[in-house]
Amino acid sequence: MSDAVAPAGYDPSAYPPFAVTSDIVVLTIRGGELSVLLVERGNEPYAGSWALPGGFVDIDEPGEETARRELVEETGLEISTYHLEQLRTYSAPGRDPRMRVVSTAYLAFLPDLPAPVAGDDAARARFFALRDIAAGEVTLAFDHEQILADAVERARSKIEYTTLAAAFVEKPFTLGDLRRVYECVWGTRLHPSNFARKVLSTPGFVRSLDVRGASQFEGGRVGALYETGDATVLHPAILRPTDDEEDE
């Protein structure tokens, strides 16, 4: 905490008041679907609407600590031991009807998360499949749809150049199991043989166990089993197909 003292002659009333908030996007895979954690707001504005967990930054805490604290208070999820990635800052005038509010959003993309339990000013907390939100079955308060869209794009990009996707499969796994994670996050079907070729040609991504076993996601289909390798960054990256091309 800073002990800085306001300079002589400084007049706080000369500046319009504004607030700072932190929002957190928690993404995971549940039931084979890329999903996001949302809370139902218990207070105005947008009472009864779904929103990302978050809240106002206390005067004596950094924004990341606010995000972690609000997540615990509103959903009961404790992720203090996990990496939290700053997404971006949202500062459009009018984004919050209460006053001028600037928010910094954070992203957590994690496997094996427990069911949330609503608390504080959240009436309910639950995971929603991104598919349902995209279909318009759930609308979000404030500018949280834009924040969520930015977070999903970041997550999709991260599995292109890191080994994060492997965290979402049980070990050992088949390449089909790993492919299903990529398909879930990217929202597109991938050619099995081409995907396998790309994974196996990426040094350090996976290591063959030289045994065969049942797939986790493909109806128990038997295939070669793998474990994660030593790499954390993929080189070359495994790039998703673009909108105007098929996975070849």
Side-chain angles (χ1 to χ4, degrees):
M1 180 176 176
S2 174
D3 295 323
V5 177
Y10 172 73
D11 179 12
S13 66
Y15 300 90
F18 73 95
V20 177
T21 60
S22 290
D23 294 307
I24 180 168
V25 184
V26 179
L27 296 176
T28 192
I29 296 176
R30 292 174 74 88
E33 296 275 357
L34 182 61
S35 303
V36 62
L37 177 60
L38 299 179
V39 296
E40 183 183 6
R41 290 183 56 80
N43 300 328
E44 295 292 353
Y46 301 107
S49 296
W50 292 94
L52 298 169
F56 289 95
V57 177
D58 287 344
I59 194 67
D60 60 348
E61 70 178 349
E64 182 174 325
E65 288 185 13
T66 301
R68 296 183 187 274
R69 171 178 58 78
E70 288 286 345
L71 185 64
V72 173
E73 292 175 357
E74 294 186 336
T75 74
L77 293 189
E78 171 62 66
I79 61 168
S80 60
T81 60
Y82 292 96
H83 173 68
L84 202 59
E85 179 173 332
Q86 185 171 317
L87 184 62
R88 56 171 290 193
T89 297
Y90 298 82
S91 59
R95 60 178 301 275
D96 190 312
R98 290 168 292 191
M99 63 185 301
R100 183 80 160 94
V101 176
V102 174
S103 181
T104 299
Y106 296 85
L107 169 64
F109 186 25
L110 305 171
D112 304 323
L113 292 174
V117 179
D120 195 26
D121 58 354
R124 289 189 291 170
R126 56 165 289 195
F127 284 98
F128 284 89
L130 268 293
R131 181 195 306 271
D132 295 335
I133 298 175
E137 297 181 20
V138 182
T139 56
L140 305 186
F142 305 104
D143 55 354
H144 289 187
E145 288 188 10
Q146 181 60 59
I147 297 175
L148 176 58
D150 292 342
V152 170
E153 176 56 32
R154 177 72 64 85
R156 287 173 172 169
S157 177
K158 285 184 71 67
I159 66 170
E160 289 184 320
Y161 62 87
T162 74
T163 59
L164 179 59
F168 291 87
V169 290
E170 297 178 4
K171 281 66 173 177
F173 53 86
T174 68
L175 295 184
D177 295 330
L178 186 61
R179 188 184 76 251
R180 287 287 292 119
V181 174
Y182 276 87
E183 290 178 337
C184 177
V185 177
W186 286 347
T188 188
R189 301 291 291 179
L190 301 174
H191 190 284
S193 297
N194 291 341
F195 176 79
R197 174 177 50 79
K198 292 175 183 178
V199 170
L200 295 177
S201 63
T202 303
F205 191 3
V206 299
R207 182 184 299 114
S208 174
L209 296 177
D210 295 323
V211 295
R212 296 175 66 81
S215 167
Q216 301 165 35
F217 300 119
E218 299 188 314
R221 180 181 301 176
V222 175
L225 293 179
Y226 295 82
E227 63 182 1
T228 51
D230 298 328
T232 56
V233 176
L234 301 181
H235 184 74
I238 298 179
L239 303 179
R240 76 193 104 160
T242 60
D243 292 337
D244 58 352
E245 69 180 4
E246 297 182 354
D247 181 49
E248 299 178 350

